[in-house]
Amino acid sequence: MIGKSRRIGPIEKSQQVLLFLSPWLLTFAVFWLYPLLFSLILSFCDYDVFHPAMFSFAGFKNYWRLLGDGDFMQSFANTLIFVVGTTPVTTLLALALALMVNNVSRGSGIFRSIFFLPSIISIVVTATIFKSMYSPIGALNRFLAIFGLPGQAWLIEKNLAMPAIMLMNIWAYTGYYMILYLAALKAVPRQLYEAAEVDGADEWQQFRYITLPQIHYMTIFILVVNTIRSWQVFPEVFTLTRGGPVGSTNTMVHHLYETAFRYHEMGYASAISYVLLAIIMAFSLLQMYVLQGRGRDGGSRR
Amino acid sequence: MKHNSFRQRGLFAVLAALALSYLYPWLYMLLRSFMRHEPGLSDGNGLFTLDFYRLVLGNAGFPTYLYNSFFVLTIVLAANVVFSVTVGYAFARYRFPFRKPLFWMVLITLMVPKQTLMIPLLDLMVRLGLHDTLWALILPFCVDGFNLFLMKQYIEGLPPDLEDAARADGASEIAILRHVVVPLSRPAIAVLIINTAIINWNSFLFPLILTDTASVRTLPVALAMFAQGPYATDWGALMAGASVSSLPIIAIFWLFQKEIIEGITSGALKD
């Protein structure tokens, strides 16, 4: 993956190299490395950006506090529920849509566009529309009324708010992963199916023994990428519920946001952000491992 | 594979039903934004009105937010194109000390969640006096690690012969970039532009944190604030806000969807 430069550049070009690299080096140092380290230091301190004079060292206090903080634990549990509740559904639905769009003989292009569109629109727009549809007199309750089902206060009821956000999230992002699955399906060699047909394999057998193994890496890739994205769920919570009712939709990033920018406990918030970093890094390393595995097998998507 | 027409029709019906559930929210948004509901009219019926758009495009200040979003996007895009090509070229073609560890650093920047950087970044912007300006939304995002990765990989795959020939003719490195590397890298640059544009246009967390005043808000933040302000349950106004925020993107989507889908697919490494 790295270091296959074909031509070794002349060494006297060193100031050229520095000139070319400098924008990145500067951005990297100022807007990435420094914030990352400063955040780590802050997690061992008490600090407020807007009152920098009240800075004090706190040792491991912030990290100990996490363990006994019911709100943080709730936000962790909520995020876990969100990830476990959405990621498999989104992935399965994306695969189903991709298979259907791939096999339908008429209108596959337009179906693909319709399913894909929500994923490139700002999630805030989506949340705004759903906020209206979820309202007590909104479209969802009117739809349920057709079947004689009682309406619900979707975003106000403690047990319904999180599922409502999850449903919206699934609606919004499935099309993106469908596009990835479509690319993977296109890359499966046609000869495999032809050979299987000669051998008398039925369609289920073809799916089970050819399609699934052939798109295996894409499935793992989608699961990991989707998990990483879902751990960071925030704008939809901010737009729809602000973490309520009674903390039932308070996710980790939302809790981090509130701790830092509403309660101005930026040291403690930094400790939360490092817990998030640990979780995301673990999944990112898994992602790299998966991608390198794909590289070894030479199974390219294109 | 065999396609008998009965199964095809069933498949089409299932897809059409699903497509309807995907189209419904957009139709709802449009209808609601053009309709005033008067007491006494039966549910679902309303009178046609442009009042909500007048509100959104007038007092609610959406043209300003649109301009802010566009301003930030333009500069971030231009910077990313220029810097990704130059830095990617340096990583792909030059041999220099710490080349490998530095490139590992590029990859590691992709793994760290941006939320971990947000408090120090706010702190930095306050100290630099850039807090609550559009520059706070531009400077940190001018050189994106994923774009560097993309360009480096692409340029490495190009045959170096043309560059060598140009070099033998005495062309400067900048001239080689402009006249040889950039024209050959068009497909990768297109992917870069599409991915960066979608991510930047929809960016929410940093614009939320790094700005305070309404006059420097970008569209997503402005819409989220609008959805919580005095119009929080004025559905017509909210839907007009949502439609003003999304219609430009929907239009661009219909024009460039082939390119966008290609971009998403080859840029799948990044979310």
Side-chain angles (χ1 to χ4, degrees):
Chain A
M1 199 152 108
I2 294 161
K4 282 193 299 183
S5 177
R6 288 181 199 169
R7 198 179 54 78
I8 295 173
I11 203 73
E12 64 268 27
K13 290 264 157 62
S14 62
Q15 80 268 44
Q16 194 82 54
V17 171
L18 206 61
L19 175 73
F20 281 166
L21 285 184
S22 55
W24 175 69
L25 286 172
L26 201 71
T27 310
F28 173 76
V30 177
F31 296 121
W32 192 82
L33 192 59
Y34 161 74
L36 188 71
L37 297 177
F38 191 43
S39 192
L40 183 64
I41 294 168
L42 278 185
S43 73
F44 294 100
C45 298
D46 287 327
Y47 185 63
D48 176 5
V49 169
F50 297 103
H51 301 93
M54 289 153 60
F55 178 92
S56 66
F57 186 68
F60 279 94
K61 191 191 84 182
N62 290 327
Y63 287 97
W64 283 121
R65 190 178 149 191
L66 281 173
L67 295 172
D69 181 350
D71 289 343
F72 170 74
M73 285 302 171
Q74 188 189 20
S75 77
F76 182 85
N78 286 339
T79 313
L80 192 64
I81 290 169
F82 180 85
V83 171
V84 173
T86 57
T87 305
V89 181
T90 308
T91 309
L92 268 177
L93 196 58
L95 177 59
L97 288 181
L99 287 169
M100 288 195 286
V101 167
N102 204 34
N103 282 317
V104 76
S105 51
R106 269 191 311 142
S108 86
I110 189 123
F111 284 132
R112 187 185 62 174
S113 305
I114 290 171
F115 298 136
F116 177 56
L117 179 65
S119 63
I120 61 159
I121 301 288
S122 160
I123 192 76
V124 178
V125 169
T126 310
T128 307
I129 299 170
F130 272 68
K131 189 183 176 190
S132 173
M133 297 204 304
Y134 280 148
S135 88
I137 52 155
L140 184 56
N141 280 348
R142 282 211 302 268
F143 178 73
L144 291 177
I146 299 173
F147 303 99
L149 294 167
Q152 305 285 346
W154 296 101
L155 296 172
I156 297 153
E157 197 75 51
K158 191 167 160 280
N159 297 323
L160 293 175
M162 186 56 111
I165 293 179
M166 285 158 67
L167 181 71
M168 184 199 91
N169 196 279
I170 292 166
W171 183 87
Y173 287 106
T174 302
Y176 177 83
Y177 300 108
M178 175 202 70
I179 293 290
L180 298 185
Y181 263 133
L182 278 172
L185 289 174
K186 291 253 149 52
V188 180
R190 298 232 58 84
Q191 306 94 284
L192 292 177
Y193 294 112
E194 285 155 15
E197 219 148 281
V198 171
D199 291 346
D202 63 29
E203 268 180 73
W204 166 251
Q205 286 170 326
Q206 290 184 21
F207 173 72
R208 174 69 190 77
Y209 296 105
I210 299 173
T211 312
L212 266 190
Q214 284 285 320
I215 61 172
H216 175 64
Y217 274 116
M218 186 53 94
T219 302
I220 297 176
F221 176 76
I222 288 175
L223 279 172
V224 175
V225 170
N226 204 350
T227 304
I228 292 173
R229 179 184 61 78
S230 302
W231 269 107
Q232 303 176 60
V233 55
F234 174 69
E236 45 271 64
V237 175
F238 186 87
T239 311
L240 287 175
T241 60
R242 296 298 291 258
V246 281
S248 61
T249 60
N250 193 24
T251 59
M252 266 180 88
V253 174
H254 188 264
H255 188 61
L256 169 56
Y257 173 84
E258 293 268 294
T259 307
F261 304 109
R262 189 160 163 202
Y263 301 109
H264 292 256
E265 295 191 74
M266 301 209 177
Y268 186 44
S270 297
I272 298 174
S273 83
Y274 259 82
V275 175
L276 184 74
L277 176 120
I279 296 169
I280 302 290
M281 281 296 272
F283 283 107
S284 293
L285 289 171
L286 185 67
Q287 179 190 354
M288 275 198 88
Y289 178 77
V290 170
L291 286 173
Q292 293 205 325
R294 189 182 65 196
R296 265 201 303 280
D297 290 5
S300 163
R301 271 176 293 119
R302 273 177 294 167
Chain B
M1 262 182 271
K2 278 169 282 179
H3 291 292
N4 65 58
S5 70
F6 178 72
R7 272 199 43 193
Q8 271 300 321
R9 252 178 267 161
L11 194 57
F12 189 86
V14 173
L15 279 171
L18 283 165
L20 215 62
S21 80
Y22 266 77
L23 281 176
Y24 181 78
W26 305 118
L27 293 176
Y28 176 87
M29 171 185 87
L30 281 178
L31 287 177
R32 208 58 217 248
S33 67
F34 284 114
M35 255 183 225
R36 175 164 297 292
H37 288 252
E38 302 284 355
L41 277 172
S42 70
D43 202 34
N45 293 320
L47 301 168
F48 177 81
T49 179
L50 288 174
D51 285 358
F52 297 126
Y53 284 93
R54 277 196 202 102
L55 169 76
V56 162
L57 295 172
N59 288 342
F62 273 68
T64 309
Y65 312 139
L66 215 90
Y67 170 81
N68 291 343
S69 275
F70 194 73
F71 180 80
V72 170
L73 177 65
T74 309
I75 298 181
V76 167
L77 269 188
N80 269 286
V81 170
V82 172
F83 296 142
S84 304
V85 169
T86 50
V87 181
Y89 180 71
F91 273 117
R93 292 293 198 235
Y94 294 142
R95 200 42 65 90
F96 50 87
F98 306 115
R99 178 175 164 277
K100 269 194 181 184
L102 279 175
F103 193 67
W104 275 107
M105 286 295 128
V106 174
L107 296 182
I108 289 172
T109 59
L110 302 179
M111 297 181 171
V112 168
K114 54 189 184 293
Q115 293 87 354
T116 309
L117 310 175
M118 70 184 183
I119 295 168
L121 218 49
L122 170 68
D123 188 73
L124 187 66
M125 290 305 171
V126 171
R127 284 165 201 263
L128 293 174
L130 294 174
H131 173 61
D132 210 20
T133 70
L134 292 177
W135 294 105
L137 312 184
I138 293 171
L139 292 177
F141 308 102
C142 280
V143 194
D144 179 83
F146 176 75
N147 291 338
L148 297 190
F149 174 77
L150 185 79
M151 288 314 302
K152 183 243 181 199
Q153 298 296 94
Y154 195 85
I155 293 172
E156 256 180 1
L158 296 174
D161 316 22
L162 282 169
E163 295 157 40
D164 289 339
R167 203 168 278 119
D169 287 347
S172 73
E173 294 297 300
I174 299 280
I176 291 172
L177 265 182
R178 273 189 57 189
H179 300 297
V180 180
V181 178
V182 169
L184 288 174
S185 307
R186 283 237 174 87
I189 293 173
V191 167
L192 182 157
I193 288 175
I194 286 161
N195 286 337
T196 310
I198 294 173
I199 290 166
N200 189 270
W201 187 264
N202 293 338
S203 163
F204 181 72
L205 183 65
F206 280 109
L208 176 70
I209 290 160
L210 298 175
T211 62
D212 275 334
T213 323
S215 60
V216 287
R217 269 179 207 151
T218 53
L219 267 179
V221 177
L223 184 62
M225 295 300 181
F226 190 58
Q228 292 171 5
Y231 299 101
T233 54
D234 188 342
W235 305 121
L238 284 189
M239 291 311 105
S243 102
V244 166
S245 308
S246 58
L247 285 182
I249 301 298
I250 294 178
I252 287 170
F253 174 72
W254 283 109
L255 287 174
F256 296 104
Q257 61 166 308
K258 191 170 150 276
E259 288 78 8
I260 292 174
I261 286 173
E262 271 168 21
I264 294 280
T265 313
S266 50
L269 294 166
K270 188 186 192 183
D271 185 34

